[in-house]
Amino acid sequence: MRSALRTAPALAALLLVLTSCGDSGPAAYSTDDRTITVDHGEKFTLKVPANPELGQNWYLASPRADADVLKYEGDREDTGDGDGTQFFDFTALSRGKASVKLLFCPYGRCHSADEVASKPVPTATGTPKDSDQEAAYYLYTITVR
């Protein structure tokens, strides 16, 4: 019995470590983090504010990231509590650099990246705000090491 009492704290600590593994998910980068370094094989996501109720959406734009360096896994949304978030998921495939271009479309100004491809759209330098009235491109530079 005495031996079991001595090992119980160690087992509890091990259980705590094992149950906390994997909860964090892939690294998430916001519009403030547009120069990103990830490791080969790492999964990561670009996390952007989106409120579909206000017609605020994001699209992956052309040119697409170098497919030898990054694999685009798709996008998804979380619209909880009115303030939404859109996620663009990637996997780092090989060492190198790639650019990811996202199009921010506030207030239903556009419905796809193709729709604005022929129009002049500025490249954003700040963070998107509810007061933004025009579409803008957000460029991310991803370095895979």
Side-chain angles (χ1 to χ4, degrees):
M1 176 74 175
R2 196 173 167 118
S3 173
L5 289 176
R6 275 188 257 150
T7 58
L11 288 174
L14 178 61
L15 184 59
L16 181 62
V17 168
L18 291 175
T19 57
S20 65
C21 290
D23 288 344
S24 62
Y29 300 95
S30 73
T31 55
D32 292 333
D33 306 313
R34 288 191 236 151
T35 302
I36 300 165
T37 301
V38 295
D39 291 323
H40 170 262
E42 184 176 343
K43 293 182 182 293
F44 67 95
T45 189
L46 302 179
K47 177 182 174 182
V48 294
N51 191 335
E53 291 176 9
L54 295 176
Q56 194 178 64
N57 292 293
W58 291 78
Y59 304 97
L60 185 63
S62 295
R64 298 282 175 106
D66 183 344
D68 291 333
V69 177
L70 294 180
K71 180 180 180 187
Y72 175 57
E73 302 286 355
D75 65 288
R76 55 198 163 84
E77 291 181 1
D78 178 4
T79 57
D81 299 332
D83 291 333
T85 305
Q86 197 167 345
F87 303 90
F88 292 84
D89 299 324
F90 294 89
T91 300
L93 296 179
S94 64
R95 296 174 195 260
K97 279 193 177 188
S99 295
V100 174
K101 188 176 185 181
L102 298 183
L103 174 64
F104 174 59
C105 290
Y107 305 108
R109 299 269 187 230
C110 47
H111 300 92
S112 74
D114 293 335
E115 180 182 322
V116 298
S118 62
K119 302 175 190 174
V121 175
T123 299
T125 57
T127 302
K129 299 173 185 63
D130 287 336
S131 62
D132 290 344
Q133 297 294 313
E134 299 301 322
Y137 288 113
Y138 284 75
L139 302 176
Y140 294 81
T141 301
I142 316 296
T143 301
V144 180
R145 57 179 175 211

